[in-house]
């Protein structure tokens, strides 16, 4: 490769990364610029009003992680607007909650700008230039984005702001139509001029507070005091690989590490079959349910990696001695992921999300705010149960896997709770079973939640008697439900077709 390997959720974000590489940018520049573009090209999946996590390697140093996921607000508003809405996947239907009362304190702007300032080599104006262009002049709606928009159409059209953006002559925008967001273009120019302070401490913060104060939990102090947290990535080993991912208070990375510990310690990783994988998923979900009970303990999930506790779960896994998992089906997972590797060995794995979106906009900025306070999977203790400011737990799990201190696989996925099952299966397919990266991503997937075993075509479960008690739900084609893994290595760059994603060695 001349510049690098890129896997993103849209052609526009891919072209943005390529443009920034040509301008002399590194992996951080390219990935961050691509994320800003995706806020237009993947409007329903990410936003300046959402949150995310960036995992990176800079100049062959130790991996660094920027946690800029959303915060719980520190304010109780009895008049908050909070209501239920449904999304239908065809084979399964899910409820979640929107309205001003679903908005958590966003982190994307703070996190992206901080990560760029500390690791990028190009000026912010160059990074934002493509995103400003696409927001102003528009993008052509792809077939996948049209599908996603149709799923969340009631949210996109909830308010006048959304109707102005997503309808033309009173007709909902469809595949092939041009989608532009000139107010967001103006907002990015403001960010370029004034930085993150504009959004969190300046006129932007005042506008956000005044827009939502009557029916949300947002207050000005929470915006002023939002902080990006640099964390030591969670690391785990399997075979000859060293993997790095998102630690607590996120759930996803810890659960992925836990499952790989199960497979390693039980010596099943080399000859893994479907039953072993399903049972490992079930034990992992049980571990999660038992160690996510205290809303005041951000790091409670980490206990499942303690030796004594882990050994108990390991024995249950080996002996098939465990009770049925009772977790509810998690949310739709409006999330997007970008993986980038450059010729210098810099690597970035970044996942951002807006939930399904609250349906409510900062009109002047063209930004729909998140609905993270309305995501059941992020609020396992019940809605609005927090008693102090904290990060909401997340399944976001950007991953970098090294061998001999050299990045061998950079990946991540969208898809709520399916993020971990999607990432796990791609890693196993590629690094354990030896499939190409494309085969690893396009291979059919399964996902266990509660007693429901969801699976894609060409997975044959008929001869596995030990799976007879599961409620099996067979999708008739590969589906967005099963996540969207975008991954790169030195030889391949692959975007998941389930989500219309793209990749290129450049």
């Amino acid at each position: 490769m001349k510049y690098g390997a890129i896997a993103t959720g849209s052609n526009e974000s891919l072209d943005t990364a390529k443009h920034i590489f040509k301008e002399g940018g590194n992996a951080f520049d390219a990935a961050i610029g691509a994320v800003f573009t995706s806020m237009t090209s993947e409007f329903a999946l990410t936003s300046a009003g959402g949150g995310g996590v960036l995992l990176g390697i800079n100049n062959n140093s130790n991996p660094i992680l920027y946690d800029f996921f959303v915060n719980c607000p520190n304010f109780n508003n009895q008049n908050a607007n909070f209501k239920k809405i449904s999304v239908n996947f065809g084979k399964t239907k899910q409820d979640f909650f929107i309205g001003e009362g679903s908005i958590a304190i966003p982190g994307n702007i703070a996190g992206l700008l901080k990560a760029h300032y500390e690791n990028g080599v190009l000026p912010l104006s160059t990074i934002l230039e493509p995103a400003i262009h696409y927001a102003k002049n528009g993008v052509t709606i792809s077939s996948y984005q049209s599908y996603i928009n149709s799923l969340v159409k009631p949210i996109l059209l909830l308010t006048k702001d959304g109707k102005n953006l997503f309808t033309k002559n009173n007709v909902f925008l469809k595949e092939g139509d041009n989608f532009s967001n000139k107010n967001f273009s103006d907002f990015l120019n403001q960010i370029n001029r004034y930085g993150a302070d504009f959004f969190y401490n300046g006129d932007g913060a005042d506008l956000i507070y005044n827009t939502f104060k009557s029916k949300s939990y947002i207050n000005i102090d929470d915006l002023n005091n939002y902080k990006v947290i640099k964390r030591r990535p969670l690391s785990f080993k399997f075979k000859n690989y060293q993997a790095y991912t998102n630690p607590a208070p996120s759930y996803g990375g810890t659960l992925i590490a836990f499952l790989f510990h199960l497979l390693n310690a039980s010596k099943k990783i080399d000859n893994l079959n479907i039953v072993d994988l399903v049972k490992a998923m079930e034990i992992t979900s049980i571990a999660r349910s038992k160690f996510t009970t205290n809303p005041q303990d951000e790091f409670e999930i980490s206990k499942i990696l303690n030796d004594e506790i882990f050994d108990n779960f390991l024995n249950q896994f080996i002996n098939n001695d465990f009770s049925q998992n009772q977790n509810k089906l998690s949310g739709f997972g409006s999330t997007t992921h970008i993986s980038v590797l450059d010729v210098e060995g810099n690597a970035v794995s970044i996942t951002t999300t807006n939930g399904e979106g609250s349906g409510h906009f900062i009109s002047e900025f063209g930004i729909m705010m998140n609905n993270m306070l309305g995501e059941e999977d992020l609020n396992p203790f019940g809605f609005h149960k927090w008693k102090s400011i904290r990060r909401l737990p997340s399944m976001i799990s950007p991953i970098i896997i090294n061998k001999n201190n050299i990045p061998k696989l950079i990946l991540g996925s969208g898809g709520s709770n399916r993020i971990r099952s999607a990432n796990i299966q791609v890693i196993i397919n590629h690094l354990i079973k030896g499939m190409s990266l494309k085969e690893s991503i396009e291979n059919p997937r399964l996902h266990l939640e509660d007693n429901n075993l969801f699976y894609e075509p060409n997975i044959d479960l008929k001869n596995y008697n030990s799976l007879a008690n599961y409620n099996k739900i067979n999708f008739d084609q590969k589906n967005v439900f099963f996540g969207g893994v975008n991954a790169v290595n030195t030889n391949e760059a692959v975007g998941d077709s389930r989500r219309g994603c793209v990749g290129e060695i450049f």
Side-chain angles (χ1 to χ4, degrees):
M1 58 186 180
K2 182 177 180 181
Y3 296 101
I6 310 156
T8 74
S10 71
N11 284 311
E12 292 83 4
S13 55
L14 175 67
D15 288 342
T16 293
K18 291 168 63 176
H19 171 77
I20 289 172
F21 269 149
K22 284 184 177 180
E23 293 294 311
N26 63 12
F28 288 86
D29 293 317
I32 292 166
V35 171
F36 277 112
T37 289
S38 71
M39 293 174 182
T40 298
S41 62
E42 300 174 74
F43 184 92
L45 300 180
T46 189
S47 165
V53 174
L54 183 153
L55 174 65
I57 294 176
N58 189 355
N59 294 323
N60 297 310
S61 60
N62 291 327
I64 51 177
L65 186 134
Y66 292 83
D67 174 356
F68 46 94
F69 200 60
V70 299
N71 270 357
C72 294
N74 188 30
F75 182 67
N76 189 17
N77 183 354
Q78 298 300 321
N79 297 316
N81 176 32
F82 192 70
K83 60 184 180 182
K84 184 166 71 173
I85 197 166
S86 297
V87 166
N88 192 332
F89 284 93
K91 288 288 184 176
T92 185
K93 187 177 181 180
Q94 297 175 28
D95 295 329
F96 46 92
F97 295 82
I98 62 171
E100 296 99 327
S102 69
I103 303 171
I105 305 303
N108 272 340
I109 294 300
L112 294 169
L113 266 58
K114 183 177 179 67
H116 169 257
Y117 177 78
E118 294 184 352
N119 301 278
V121 296
L122 294 178
L124 182 61
S125 58
T126 304
I127 303 306
L128 293 177
E129 181 183 1
I132 291 170
H133 166 80
Y134 284 119
K136 181 178 180 180
N137 297 293
V139 299
T140 300
I141 296 178
S142 67
S143 59
Y144 170 71
Q145 293 304 320
S146 178
Y147 169 65
I148 291 298
N149 291 346
S150 70
L151 288 178
V152 295
K153 180 179 177 180
I155 300 174
L156 295 177
L157 301 184
L158 185 68
T159 64
K160 181 180 178 181
D161 293 306
K163 291 174 182 175
N164 288 339
L165 283 173
F166 282 93
T167 61
K168 184 176 182 180
N169 298 324
N170 294 320
V171 178
F172 190 62
L173 295 181
K174 62 184 184 302
E175 179 184 355
D177 287 339
N178 182 271
F179 169 72
S180 63
N181 190 351
K182 293 181 174 58
N183 285 356
F184 185 58
S185 176
D186 294 339
F187 168 77
L188 291 177
N189 278 310
Q190 296 281 67
I191 292 298
N192 180 47
R193 185 175 180 182
Y194 299 112
D197 278 349
F198 171 76
F199 192 79
Y200 293 93
N201 294 282
D203 292 342
D206 292 337
L207 180 59
I208 295 168
Y209 172 64
N210 289 326
T211 299
F212 298 115
K213 64 181 179 181
S214 63
K215 294 184 178 181
S216 80
Y217 295 95
I218 293 175
N219 69 72
I220 197 69
D221 287 340
D222 289 337
L223 288 166
N224 293 165
N225 294 322
Y226 181 87
K227 301 295 183 186
V228 179
I229 301 174
K230 292 176 70 173
R231 303 188 191 276
R232 176 180 293 179
L234 174 65
S235 64
F236 62 94
K237 292 182 179 180
F238 65 98
K239 305 290 285 179
N240 296 318
Y241 299 102
Q242 183 78 49
Y244 300 90
T245 188
N246 192 16
S250 166
Y251 292 165
T254 301
L255 295 173
I256 289 171
F258 177 86
L259 186 141
F260 272 96
H261 284 326
L262 282 180
L263 298 181
N264 270 327
S266 64
K267 302 187 186 305
K268 294 187 176 184
I269 195 166
D270 286 317
N271 298 295
L272 190 66
N273 60 39
I274 286 177
V275 173
D276 292 333
L277 180 59
V278 171
K279 294 296 185 182
M281 287 180 174
E282 186 161 8
I283 284 287
T284 303
S285 293
I286 291 170
R288 175 194 176 184
S289 66
K290 289 186 176 180
F291 287 90
T292 53
T293 60
N294 182 0
Q296 309 315 317
D297 184 355
E298 283 189 290
F299 300 95
E300 183 184 18
I301 189 67
S302 299
K303 293 177 182 179
I304 67 174
L305 299 177
N306 293 349
D307 289 344
E308 184 177 348
I309 293 171
F310 173 78
D311 287 345
N312 180 50
F313 285 117
L314 175 62
N315 289 332
Q316 294 179 50
F317 176 58
I318 292 172
N319 299 322
N320 288 324
D321 178 23
F322 49 88
S323 58
Q324 181 177 309
N325 173 43
Q326 296 294 329
N327 284 347
K328 293 182 179 180
L329 185 64
S330 60
F332 161 54
S334 292
T335 313
T336 189
H337 181 84
I338 293 171
S339 294
V340 181
L341 175 68
D342 68 28
V343 291
E344 302 297 327
N346 300 305
V348 174
S349 180
I350 179 170
T351 312
T352 61
T353 180
N354 203 35
E356 286 74 29
S358 65
H360 292 269
F361 286 70
I362 311 168
S363 301
E364 293 84 349
F365 297 162
I367 295 172
M368 182 167 67
M369 299 294 279
N370 70 80
N371 73 320
M372 303 301 190
L373 301 185
E375 290 267 11
E376 287 188 277
D377 203 47
L378 306 186
N379 295 271
F381 320 105
F383 295 120
H384 308 135
K385 297 294 186 182
W386 66 91
K387 294 182 180 178
S388 60
I389 297 174
R390 61 159 289 174
R391 287 287 199 267
L392 277 177
S394 169
M395 283 297 162
I396 286 179
S397 307
I399 301 170
I400 295 177
I401 299 176
N402 286 356
K403 186 176 183 180
N404 299 324
N405 295 319
I406 298 172
K408 290 296 181 182
L409 181 62
I410 297 93
L411 78 157
S413 177
S416 191
N417 202 21
R418 277 83 65 194
I419 288 175
R420 60 186 171 100
S421 61
N423 282 334
I424 285 164
Q425 288 170 86
V426 170
I427 293 169
I428 290 170
N429 288 341
H430 186 52
L431 297 181
I432 305 300
K433 296 183 177 181
M435 297 182 189
S436 71
L437 190 53
K438 183 174 180 60
E439 290 172 326
S440 300
I441 290 173
E442 296 302 328
N443 207 54
R445 292 182 199 142
L446 52 78
H447 176 76
L448 180 70
E449 206 146 343
D450 189 7
N451 196 45
N452 297 309
L453 183 56
F454 302 91
Y455 62 104
E456 292 183 314
N458 299 319
I459 293 180
D460 186 0
L461 302 180
K462 294 177 182 177
N463 297 323
Y464 295 102
N465 294 331
S466 57
L467 301 180
N469 292 329
Y470 292 102
N471 177 33
K472 301 181 186 67
I473 302 172
N474 182 16
F475 283 65
D476 54 13
Q477 59 185 356
K478 286 190 290 187
N479 192 280
V480 60
F481 175 82
F482 292 89
V485 178
N486 293 334
V488 300
N489 58 29
T490 54
N491 299 310
E492 292 181 89
V494 183
D496 199 325
S497 66
R498 293 169 183 83
R499 295 193 167 215
C501 301
V502 290
E504 184 176 335
I505 296 284
F506 178 61

